[in-house]
Amino acid sequence: MDNSDERIAGQVKELVAANHVLFARGVVDGFGHVSVRHAIDPARFLLSRSMAPALVASGDILTYDLEGREVRDDTRPSYIERFIHSEVYRARPDVMAVVHSHSPAVIPFSVVKSATIRPVYHLAGFLGESTPVYEIREDAGDSTDLLIRDSRLGAALSRCLKQHVAVLLRGHGSTVVGENLRQAVFRAVYLEMNARIQADALQLGEVTYLTAEEAAAAAITNERQMDRAWDLWLWEAERHRSIYT
Ligand SMILES: [Zn+2]
């Protein structure tokens, strides 16, 4: 195995772990998916075949190009919404990993126009000042199944994402990006937690949000400690699996 094969094997291993972690943390269930940009060819990315993330093993990881095509013509079914990943990688060269989920606490912020998700605590500082909401009706009318089914809708979603780290999809879920896989997972987990805490806080009264400067400073601190959370979540996910297998 040469050096590039080893790098890809390492990516596959971490991507399998990311699938399990996201399930154990309640970000994905039967649905949702996570990808990583190919370490050797930036015009490709790695993503599981269509299946529940908790059950993903290394043999399920496929390689896609930026058209959303499986490069080895693997005939196993692909995720319908793989175009979220392909178009975000196309539009954002800085993005190395993408998580798409329907994590439940985020959904209310996608459907209530006056409710904007904002960082209420330091661990969600990466959210910055605002998070856009994608309205599929503007591109595909009011009778779709809300899924990002092709490159055109994937491109429209990534235009809405702009340079943000997350975008909500109205009545559907969210998409979170990272400069590496662990960061994307961290952000997906804490986007969900922030949504839950923000909704709880709004019940109590007026909410004090992080300032833009606080959010930026907290994000830098968290970045340095990300592996601490990753190691715990991996341990938790492996324990979780050992109960059932
Ligand atoms: Zn979806």
Side-chain angles (χ1 to χ4, degrees):
M1 200 151 71
D2 68 16
N3 190 31
S4 32
D5 288 341
E6 274 174 32
R7 283 179 69 189
I8 302 306
Q11 280 196 300
V12 167
K13 191 174 172 203
E14 193 166 71
L15 184 56
V16 170
N19 274 274
H20 300 169
V21 164
L22 288 166
F23 171 69
R25 297 308 301 167
V27 175
V28 297
D29 51 15
F31 304 98
H33 24 87
V34 51
S35 69
V36 64
R37 196 190 286 270
H38 196 282
I40 310 300
D41 183 349
R44 293 181 173 185
F45 63 96
L46 306 177
L47 175 70
S48 167
R49 69 183 173 94
S50 180
M51 64 186 295
L55 306 180
V56 169
S58 57
D60 300 308
I61 303 297
L62 305 181
T63 307
Y64 291 88
D65 64 19
L66 298 187
E67 303 296 326
R69 282 187 302 244
E70 209 288 320
V71 301
R72 286 186 296 261
D73 294 325
D74 193 294
T75 54
R76 291 175 292 176
S78 293
Y79 288 122
I80 294 168
E81 296 193 289
R82 60 193 179 279
F83 304 100
I84 293 173
H85 303 263
S86 57
E87 292 302 320
V88 168
Y89 288 125
R90 190 199 301 277
R92 291 275 301 271
D94 60 308
V95 168
M96 295 297 150
V98 177
V99 176
H100 170 64
S101 83
H102 315 138
S103 67
V106 176
I107 307 291
F109 292 93
S110 79
V111 295
V112 176
K113 280 203 172 134
S114 57
T116 305
I117 200 155
R118 290 175 61 188
V120 286
Y121 77 146
H122 63 122
L123 288 166
F126 61 85
L127 286 174
E129 278 187 286
S130 65
T131 298
V133 179
Y134 176 65
E135 174 51 86
I136 197 169
R137 288 179 192 164
E138 289 174 9
D139 297 301
D142 60 4
S143 56
T144 71
D145 60 6
L146 291 101
L147 301 187
I148 305 299
R149 288 183 161 272
D150 56 31
S151 297
R152 185 179 72 89
L153 290 174
L157 177 67
S158 55
R159 280 195 296 278
C160 184
L161 172 68
K162 292 198 185 86
Q163 292 304 308
H164 295 273
V165 302
V167 57
L168 309 192
L169 291 79
R170 194 267 308 156
H172 177 172
S174 63
T175 296
V176 177
V177 303
E179 294 162 13
N180 56 62
L181 189 53
R182 293 183 188 197
Q183 186 188 60
V185 169
F186 182 95
R187 287 171 170 177
V189 169
Y190 283 107
L191 171 65
E192 170 70 7
M193 300 238 282
N194 189 86
R196 208 180 313 153
I197 294 166
Q198 187 179 346
D200 285 349
L202 285 164
Q203 299 276 323
L204 298 175
E206 190 181 346
V207 176
T208 303
Y209 295 98
L210 268 61
T211 64
E213 293 77 14
E214 286 172 337
I220 291 167
T221 301
N222 297 335
E223 195 64 40
R224 297 187 187 121
Q225 305 194 64
M226 207 160 281
D227 284 350
R228 196 160 106 189
W230 174 264
D231 290 344
L232 171 69
W233 296 340
L234 199 51
W235 173 82
E236 174 193 48
E238 282 166 359
R239 252 176 116 233
H240 203 108
R241 282 174 69 76
S242 70
I243 295 168
Y244 298 104
T245 54

